[in-house]
Amino acid sequence: IEVKVVVAARFEPRLDAAANARIEAARRAGYEAASPSRVRVTTAVGSGHLVQLGRPDLVVAAVRRLIDAARAG
C-alpha cells in the first residue's frame, strides 16, 4: 500500500533559499526512506501545522487516491 504524506511547507527566514531547499530535500528523503518507493509526499503550501484544517483539499485528494488504489487492487 502506498503511504501518502501531506506536510506543511517550512521556510526558515534566517536561511537563504538554497539552505531551505536542502532542508526540504532532506525532509522528503527521510519520509521516503521510511518506506522506499511507496511514499508520496505532498507539500501543503499555504498551510500551517494542521494541514487538514489549512488545506483540506489536499488531504481529501490524498485519501481519494488511496481509495482508488485499493479498489484497483
Side-chain angles (χ1 to χ4, degrees):
I1 187 167
E2 278 192 358
V3 177
K4 305 289 187 191
V5 180
V6 182
V7 295
R10 289 190 173 164
F11 179 80
E12 175 53 59
R14 295 175 293 173
L15 301 175
D16 62 19
N20 276 297
R22 286 192 304 274
I23 291 168
E24 179 63 23
R27 181 169 71 151
R28 283 180 173 270
Y31 284 120
E32 291 167 2
S35 187
S37 74
R38 292 188 171 190
V39 174
R40 180 171 182 207
V41 180
T42 301
T43 301
V45 177
S47 175
H49 180 73
L50 299 174
V51 176
Q52 69 274 22
L53 298 178
R55 290 296 308 272
D57 58 312
L58 294 178
V59 176
V60 169
V63 171
R64 285 184 175 155
R65 284 192 300 269
L66 284 172
I67 292 169
D68 291 344
R71 286 181 177 159

